[in-house]
Structure formats: structure tokens, C-alpha cells
Amino acid sequence: HIEVILQNGSRLAGSCVLVADGIHSALRKKLLPQSHIRYSGYTSWRGIVKNTWGIEKAAYEAWGPAGRFGYVPVGQNNIYWFACKNAPRTSEAMRKMTPGDLAKNFRNYSQPIPSIIEQTTLNEMIWGDIIDLEPIAQYAFGKLLLIGDAAHA
């Protein structure tokens, strides 16, 4: 068997360990100290708004000169949306964008894209640079297996 000791001192035992602790995986860093997180070259905004457009059971993504925009219906009659633009890492201009600024950026995209952004309040919008993990050559280490973003973010 394999045993894991948690931060609080508790011990768990099993036949294997699936390591699914995300892109900043502490276990991956111990196993592969040469692995690196990198900036992808683009930044992103995300939000959830009420589905006032009657969008059902479809995911949509548009690519164009102003960036990428996608949306998908989620539970409780809501729409999850995201917008991406190429930008320098930690760009102050991108961080300061409001829903109005973002809607203006995507104004030439088909409806309901500008409307979805306009319906979002500043407090409902999340901004962040997109990072990923340089590909790693190994996911399995004896009875440990890296999965998800711990392995291939």
C-alpha cells in the first residue's frame, strides 16, 4: 500500500494515490522540480449572467481580431461566458477593463456577445492571465499518478 500524511497529521492509506491538486501542484513540484508554469500569451475575463436570450444546450465560441469569446448555458437558467485577448503578462490596461470596456472591444461580434458582456456587473466579472504547464514527460511515479491540471494544465 501507499500512505499519505496530511498537513494536519492524519494518515491515509491505499493502493495508489491520484494527484489532482491543480496547476500549482505541490506534489508535482516535489516529483518534477524542473516542471514550470508559463504565461500562455493571453488574458481572460469570465462571468455568469442570467440567460435572457433563450440559449439552450449549446456551447458557442467566436474568434476574431478583437479576441475570442465563448458562452455556454449552465444551471439555474444562467450563461457562463469567457473572453480572451492576446496581451502582455499582468497588463494593467487589461486588469482595469470594465464590462463596458470589454463590450466595446467585442462590439462588432454577433449578438448576443456584446449584450452578454453588458449584462455583467463589474463585481460579477473575473479577470486573470491564462497560464499553463510546460508539457512533462512523466505522469506516473510508482503508485502515484498525476492527473488533471497537475499533469497537463
Side-chain angles (χ1 to χ4, degrees):
H1 78 280
I2 186 168
E3 187 173 72
V4 175
I5 303 171
L6 304 177
Q7 286 180 338
N8 69 4
S10 301
R11 294 173 181 260
L12 302 172
S15 58
C16 67
V17 174
L18 299 178
V19 179
D21 58 345
I23 192 167
H24 300 289
S25 172
L27 285 172
R28 185 193 63 247
K29 288 176 188 174
K30 292 274 189 200
L31 296 165
L32 297 168
Q34 74 281 9
S35 66
H36 296 285
I37 304 302
R38 61 188 179 185
Y39 177 56
S40 67
Y42 58 97
T43 197
S44 179
W45 300 264
R46 297 171 302 222
I48 296 177
V49 295
K50 281 294 175 198
N51 182 0
T52 60
W53 303 274
I55 299 166
E56 296 180 20
K57 299 182 183 178
Y60 180 84
E61 189 167 342
W63 292 42
R68 292 186 338 223
F69 189 92
Y71 59 84
V72 63
V74 293
Q76 301 175 344
N77 196 38
N78 289 317
I79 296 285
Y80 162 78
W81 65 264
F82 67 90
C84 301
K85 288 183 64 65
N86 292 347
R89 186 175 198 161
T90 62
S91 166
E92 190 66 15
M94 298 294 112
R95 186 188 68 74
K96 288 182 176 180
M97 285 188 83
T98 66
D101 297 329
L102 204 55
K104 187 175 180 180
N105 179 81
F106 287 96
R107 69 183 172 275
N108 293 324
Y109 285 52
S110 64
Q111 285 294 344
I113 292 171
S115 297
I116 289 172
I117 301 168
E118 288 168 351
Q119 186 173 317
T120 308
T121 68
L122 185 58
N123 292 334
E124 296 170 325
M125 189 168 79
I126 299 169
W127 168 79
D129 285 336
I130 302 299
I131 57 174
D132 66 12
L133 173 64
E134 277 186 29
I136 59 177
Q138 184 178 356
Y139 297 162
F141 301 84
K143 294 183 178 200
L144 291 170
L145 178 65
L146 298 172
I147 63 172
D149 283 353
H152 52 76

